[in-house]
Amino acid sequence: MPQNCFILVGLVGQNAENSLAVVASTSKRPQLVKGNMQFFPVDQQRSQALEAHAALFASLKVAGNENPSILIAFASKTTNAGQITSKLHVIELGAQPGKPGFTKKQADLFFPPDFADDFPVAMQKSNKYILIYVITKLGLLFVYDLEMATALYRNRISLDPIFLTAEASSVGGFMLSIDEGRFFLLLSMK
């Protein structure tokens, strides 16, 4: 692995049909932390590189289709011609022939000016509430509706850098750890 790189996440999709790895590399300018995702659909035996800092697999029942759609959601912060853009993408993997599918969604991740150097480090989902959580290094939490990729909430949840997250499916939330080793459980309420 090249110098100044670190692995953010490695995931295997449902039934080991898909896998991905997300690697971030640093530069002299913190707001240019580059995220690279390597996506590997096992059935196609080929990999695809995408710019992303965090990702997850999810399933969602689409109206008119008895089988759930398998989705990949990923968050990125990129620079193009000097402009920094932050996005959440939700895409269906392997649409089912002859069945209604999920329509690709995209939404902005809005970083306040004092968080210009921040970037996504983790994503979790709530199957219970059909939500996506995007967690950033500097402690911002973005909450999005999975089906529409609509922003529902944004707030700072930690003054300390986020180190690790894990799904807490029984309560519809997630756990997180900060650099000091403390753990927190975040719950979704409807």
Side-chain angles (χ1 to χ4, degrees), residues 45-58:
Q45 290 295 304
R46 65 178 177 84
S47 65
Q48 180 179 0
L50 299 167
E51 286 190 76
H53 289 83
L56 60 78
F57 292 112

Side-chain angles (χ1 to χ4, degrees), residues 72-95:
I72 184 170
F74 57 96
S76 62
K77 188 171 186 181
T78 59
T79 182
N80 187 5
Q83 282 293 106
I84 295 174
T85 59
S86 302
K87 299 279 185 191
L88 169 70
H89 304 270
V90 184
I91 301 169
E92 183 173 14
L93 299 174

